[in-house]
């Protein structure tokens, strides 16, 4: 039995809509399907503007441009995240200030942010790991007190909530990913930037359209469009938007299915947690998650490697996750770690992600659970 770690979601209408877009001869961004997707996001993620992008990375880069990050600026974020979170700001010349994480959620420790602020700090990036929200009330309070921008890296957070508010809608902007490993995909890559602060709404469209006012031209607001600001090409193709629309139509179904798999893992592995063999994910009371991933934590690096070998023998593809950015060559070059690394490295070395995808067969999941039980018996 070969158990995949991930399988991109397919709900049934993606092919039909993609062919429809292909035959329409409108292949570039912001076509009919792109507009339908953006309208869906503006309804489900109440915001000033939703803009599809080629990737979650591009959405973060667009956010960095919008807040005018300069070479003298510092940006605070966790080290336990993907390289794109840092790269978006490093590309603008910023210095990254890494802060330790909370061991319960693997999110940035909100209590350590204030100590990392200097007169050069411009923004805080809140990464919602595994679709579980950071402690946003505290983060926003600190940011408001120091007049800092908050960018939510909600790459894994579509359909997750903090105190009933959709992730990505709390900070000044939110960035999402539709990579094939995410709960919803636009055909392999893709992303979304949502703008929550009115001051960025108009400029976001301009930067996304190569620094031109093309969007205003097509709405009849100007008689010709021209280059008016810095910008780049940050539009998602119509083919990818059509694929994504097939998934958004059944977003609740995908979410429900993943949550059922997540709960099945949690229920079956709870006895191992009760006797101290493993640690399962923690979901704070303020958070409603989207079952983006299911992970367990083991005793340490050695045990993790042995368990991964056990999975390999069983033909189960399970993986560890991020190598902390501050320990990487680029992290040392472009950033610094503020304070003590109490948990970031230690917890990252304990974590294993289990197979999780939309439509994960119950027999496959039972096989994975059985393999874990066999390892610890």
């Amino acid at each position: 039995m070969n158990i995949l770690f991930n399988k991109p979601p397919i709900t049934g209408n993606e092919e039909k809509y993609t062919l429809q877009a292909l035959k329409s001869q409108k292949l570039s961004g912001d076509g009919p399907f792109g507009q339908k997707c953006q309208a869906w996001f503006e309804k489900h993620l109440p915001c000033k503007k939703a803009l599809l992008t080629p990737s979650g990375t591009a959405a973060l880069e667009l956010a960095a441009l919008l807040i005018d990050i300069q070479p003298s600026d510092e940006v605070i974020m966790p080290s336990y995240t993907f390289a794109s979170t840092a790269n978006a700001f490093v590309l603008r010349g910023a210095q990254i200030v890494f802060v330790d994480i909370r061991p319960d959620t693997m999110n940035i420790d909100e209590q350590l942010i204030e100590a990392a602020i200097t007169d050069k700090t411009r923004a805080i990036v809140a990464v919602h790991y595994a679709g579980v929200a950071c402690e946003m009330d505290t983060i926003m309070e600190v940011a408001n007190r120091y007049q800092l921008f908050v960018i939510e890296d909600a790459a894994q957070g579509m359909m997750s909530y903090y105190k009933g508010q959709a992730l990505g809608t709390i900070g000044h902007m939110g960035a999402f990913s539709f990579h094939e490993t995410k709960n919803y995909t636009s055909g392999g890559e893709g992303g979304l930037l949502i703008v929550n602060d009115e001051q960025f709404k108009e400029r976001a469209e301009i930067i996304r359209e190569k620094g031109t006012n093309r969007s205003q031209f097509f709405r009849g607001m100007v008689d010709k469009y021209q280059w008016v600001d810095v910008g780049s090409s940050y539009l998602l193709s119509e083919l990818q938007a059509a694929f994504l629309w097939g998934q958004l139509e059944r977003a609740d179904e995908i979410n429900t299915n993943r949550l059922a798999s997540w709960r099945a893992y949690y229920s079956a592995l709870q006895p191992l947690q009760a006797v101290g063999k493993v640690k399962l994910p923690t979901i704070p009371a303020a958070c409603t998650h989207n079952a983006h991933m299911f992970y367990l934590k083991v005793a340490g690096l050695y045990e993790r490697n042995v368990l991964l070998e056990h999975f390999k023998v069983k033909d189960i593809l399970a993986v560890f996750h991020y190598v902390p950015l501050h320990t990487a060559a680029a992290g040392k070059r472009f950033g610094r770690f503020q304070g003590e690394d109490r948990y970031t490295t230690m917890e990252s070395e304990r974590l294993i992600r289990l197979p999780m995808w939309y439509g994960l067969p119950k027999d496959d999941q039972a096989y994975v659970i059985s393999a874990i039980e066999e390892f610890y018996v």
Side-chain angles (χ1 to χ4, degrees), residues 351-370:
L351 189 144
I352 297 178
R353 298 179 63 188
L354 302 183
M356 169 68 81
W357 70 85
Y358 167 64
L360 175 63
K362 291 182 179 179
D363 288 347
D364 287 8
Q365 187 174 29
Y367 181 77
V368 174
I369 292 166
S370 176

Side-chain angles (χ1 to χ4, degrees), residues 323-368:
V323 175
L325 296 185
H326 76 283
T327 67
K332 294 174 182 177
R333 179 181 175 189
F334 300 118
R336 69 173 190 275
F337 198 95
Q338 170 67 32
E340 181 185 357
D341 174 8
R342 292 184 61 197
Y343 296 114
T344 299
T345 298
M346 180 178 69
E347 295 299 317
S348 71
E349 292 178 346
R350 298 176 58 202
L351 189 144
I352 297 178
R353 298 179 63 188
L354 302 183
M356 169 68 81
W357 70 85
Y358 167 64
L360 175 63
K362 291 182 179 179
D363 288 347
D364 287 8
Q365 187 174 29
Y367 181 77
V368 174

Side-chain angles (χ1 to χ4, degrees), residues 40 60 65 85 89 153 155 164 169 193 223 232 256 291 377:
W40 189 95
L60 287 166
L65 281 162
T85 312
F89 301 92
D153 183 341
T169 68
L193 180 76
D223 60 0
S232 191
T256 298
V377 169

Side-chain angles (χ1 to χ4, degrees), residues 52-348:
L52 290 171
T53 61
S55 63
T57 302
L60 287 166
E61 290 177 8
L62 181 51
L65 281 162
L66 281 166
I67 62 173
D68 286 321
I69 291 294
Q70 300 295 317
S72 61
D73 293 336
E74 294 180 351
V75 178
I76 295 170
M77 66 181 64
S79 174
Y80 190 68
T81 184
F82 190 56
S84 294
T85 312
N87 269 331
F89 301 92
V90 168
L91 280 169
R92 314 313 313 159
Q95 176 85 355
I96 307 302
V97 180
F98 299 114
V99 170
D100 206 7
I101 59 170
R102 294 169 43 155
D104 58 349
T105 61
M106 304 296 287
N107 287 331
I108 192 169
D109 188 333
E110 68 282 356
Q111 300 299 328
L112 301 178
I113 292 174
E114 188 166 8
I117 296 172
T118 72
D119 58 2
K120 295 180 179 180
T121 306
R122 193 71 188 285
I124 302 165
V125 184
V127 182
H128 302 300
Y129 185 70
V132 178
C134 298
E135 180 47 62
M136 291 305 296
D137 281 353
T138 301
I139 292 173
M140 294 306 297
E141 188 279 324
V142 171
N144 290 334
R145 190 149 38 88
Y146 286 90
Q147 297 184 310
L148 304 176
F149 294 114
V150 174
I151 311 299
E152 292 180 72
D153 183 341
Q156 302 171 359
M158 184 61 65
M159 302 287 281
S160 289
Y161 300 85
Y162 172 77
K163 296 186 177 180
Q165 189 169 354
L167 298 193
T169 68
I170 304 166
H172 295 85
M173 283 174 274
F176 296 84
S177 171
F178 301 125
H179 186 268
E180 67 173 27
T181 58
K182 301 303 189 291
N183 295 25
Y184 309 93
T185 182
S186 49
E189 297 283 350
L192 173 75
L193 180 76
I194 61 171
V195 177
N196 305 313
D197 191 320
E198 186 72 35
Q199 68 173 307
F200 299 119
K201 179 180 175 180
E202 182 178 319
R203 191 169 184 239
E205 283 191 327
I206 291 171
I207 293 176
R208 178 173 171 264
E209 279 274 20
K210 301 90 174 169
T212 73
N213 57 355
R214 184 171 179 267
S215 294
Q216 294 176 355
F217 171 74
F218 282 113
R219 289 198 296 268
M221 298 170 66
V222 293
D223 60 0
K224 60 181 180 296
Y225 76 87
Q226 57 186 316
W227 184 24
V228 296
D229 201 345
V230 298
S232 191
S233 183
Y234 286 132
L235 275 73
L236 185 73
S237 80
E238 182 68 357
L239 292 176
Q240 290 177 287
F243 192 102
L244 180 60
W245 181 246
Q247 309 222 323
L248 295 182
E249 280 189 325
R250 297 172 68 175
D252 288 334
E253 176 186 321
I254 292 173
N255 196 50
T256 298
N257 179 270
R258 294 184 68 106
L259 284 167
S261 294
W262 193 97
R263 289 165 183 151
Y265 271 135
Y266 194 94
S267 177
L269 297 173
Q270 179 64 36
L272 288 176
Q273 176 169 258
V275 295
K277 297 292 187 179
V278 299
K279 179 73 173 67
L280 303 182
T282 297
I283 311 298
C287 304
T288 303
H289 73 108
N290 61 356
H292 171 66
M293 72 173 79
F294 192 94
Y295 63 82
L296 52 83
K297 292 182 186 178
V298 300
L301 182 59
Y302 174 78
E303 185 173 306
R304 183 179 77 176
N305 290 339
V306 176
L307 179 53
L308 286 174
E309 283 299 315
H310 175 71
F311 282 141
K312 187 176 180 180
V313 170
K314 293 288 185 178
D315 288 325
I316 297 169
L317 183 54
V319 301
F320 57 84
H321 213 183
Y322 310 125
V323 175
L325 296 185
H326 76 283
T327 67
K332 294 174 182 177
R333 179 181 175 189
F334 300 118
R336 69 173 190 275
F337 198 95
Q338 170 67 32
E340 181 185 357
D341 174 8
R342 292 184 61 197
Y343 296 114
T344 299
T345 298
M346 180 178 69
E347 295 299 317
S348 71

